[in-house]
């Protein structure tokens, strides 16, 4: 039973999550473009929005890219630059802790703002709360995993997690076996994180795509305005 669950959550579920993430986002963009927005609540109440939004977005975007680079960079690459596995592990702990706390403070400010302001509460739907609370859960478990990481300063577990991620994205077998002996807190964090990709297309999180797409404006041709 345990082996079956591990095979599903760490061998099959990653592909399910990524498929829902990409295909679901594409279908929503094609079929429901009027719902493709962040549903800004600034007009209802500013309050702690600036601090909460800035801290949250800085934290979560930085965490996403540090996770992405950290997991998908083979040891041979950072070793070539003179970075040891132990140093990378310590950097991951320190940077992860700082960004995690920054993101958590911002998220708590946003949750408190939405909960305490009656107009915001009435204009918040189920998907809003599911999104906020699920990100909170992922974040809290991720921060909790840092206390386990300080007992694995040799970086061996980090290498295992990276090997799993690299095998998943390159469609190589043995991904589940790469997690042999990895503590449960990491596994829980991984499943919760993958589930966030599953709910992504059905919530306001889809506006993240627009944020990445805005970079194309830098290379877009000038808009020609007809003179009088």
């Amino acid at each position: 039973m345990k082996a079956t669950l591990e095979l599903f959550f760490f061998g099959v579920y990653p592909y399910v999550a990524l498929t829902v993430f990409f295909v679901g986002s594409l279908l929503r963009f094609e079929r429901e473009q009027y719902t493709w927005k962040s549903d800004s609540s600034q007009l209802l109440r500013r309050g702690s929005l600036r601090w909460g939004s800035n801290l949250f977005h800085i934290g979560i975007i930085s965490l996403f890219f540090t996770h992405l680079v950290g997991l998908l960079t083979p040891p041979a690459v950072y070793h070539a630059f003179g970075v040891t596995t132990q140093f990378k592990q310590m950097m991951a702990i320190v940077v992860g802790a700082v960004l995690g706390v920054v993101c958590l403070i911002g998220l708590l400010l946003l949750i408190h703002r939405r909960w305490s302001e009656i107009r915001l509460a009435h204009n918040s739907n189920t998907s809003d709360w599911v999104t906020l609370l699920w990100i909170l859960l992922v974040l809290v478990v991720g921060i909790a995993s840092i206390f386990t990481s300080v007992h694995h300063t040799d970086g061996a577990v980090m290498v295992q997690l990276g090997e799993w991620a690299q095998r998943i994205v390159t469609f190589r077998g043995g991904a589940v076996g790469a997690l042999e002996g990895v503590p449960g807190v990491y596994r829980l964090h991984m499943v919760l994180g993958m589930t966030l990709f599953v709910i992504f297309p059905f919530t306001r999180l889809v506006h993240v795509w627009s944020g990445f797409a805005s970079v194309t404006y830098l290379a877009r041709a000038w808009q020609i305005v007809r003179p009088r």
Side-chain angles (χ1 to χ4, degrees), residues 7-19 134 190-196 198-199:
L7 177 61
F8 172 75
F9 281 114
F10 304 108
V12 178
Y13 193 50
Y15 296 111
V16 173
L18 289 174
T19 300
W134 197 269
M190 292 161 65
V191 173
L192 293 174
M194 288 185 285
T195 303
L196 189 59
V198 173
I199 68 176

Side-chain angles (χ1 to χ4, degrees), residues 2 6 10 148-149 151-152 154-161 164 174-188 190:
K2 179 181 178 181
E6 288 186 346
F10 304 108
T148 301
S149 297
H151 298 293
H152 300 278
D154 60 352
V157 174
M158 178 189 65
V159 172
Q160 286 183 268
L161 295 174
W164 170 81
V176 178
L179 296 177
E180 183 68 30
V182 170
V185 66
Y186 296 114
R187 296 170 182 261
L188 177 60
M190 292 161 65

Side-chain angles (χ1 to χ4, degrees), residues 89-227:
Q89 171 73 351
M90 291 307 301
M91 284 295 296
I93 293 174
V94 174
V95 173
V98 172
L99 293 178
V101 171
V102 168
C103 187
L104 180 61
I105 293 173
L107 182 58
L108 290 177
L109 285 174
L110 293 177
I111 291 175
H112 176 266
R113 172 178 172 273
R114 187 169 292 274
W115 178 266
S116 60
E117 172 58 50
I118 189 165
R119 289 182 299 174
L120 288 178
H122 282 304
N123 282 276
S124 300
N125 53 41
T126 302
S127 69
D128 292 332
W129 288 113
V130 169
T131 301
L132 289 171
L133 296 178
W134 197 269
I135 293 176
L136 178 63
L137 182 59
V138 175
L139 194 57
V140 169
V141 174
I143 293 175
S145 70
I146 294 175
F147 295 98
T148 301
S149 297
V150 296
H151 298 293
H152 300 278
T153 54
D154 60 352
V157 174
M158 178 189 65
V159 172
Q160 286 183 268
L161 295 174
E163 180 66 19
W164 170 81
Q166 292 158 36
R167 286 181 178 273
I168 288 295
V169 299
T170 56
F171 301 98
R172 288 183 290 150
V176 178
L179 296 177
E180 183 68 30
V182 170
V185 66
Y186 296 114
R187 296 170 182 261
L188 177 60
H189 183 56
M190 292 161 65
V191 173
L192 293 174
M194 288 185 285
T195 303
L196 189 59
F197 282 88
V198 173
I199 68 176
F200 182 98
F202 311 103
T203 66
R204 65 172 63 197
L205 288 174
V206 292
H207 80 278
V208 174
W209 285 117
S210 299
F212 289 128
S214 64
V215 178
T216 60
Y217 282 99
L218 299 176
R220 192 180 68 175
W222 291 357
Q223 181 179 3
I224 300 177
V225 180
R226 179 180 297 177

Side-chain angles (χ1 to χ4, degrees), residues 78-90:
Y78 55 80
H79 287 168
F81 289 93
V83 178
T84 64
T85 302
Q86 293 79 5
F87 180 77
K88 184 172 181 291
Q89 171 73 351
M90 291 307 301

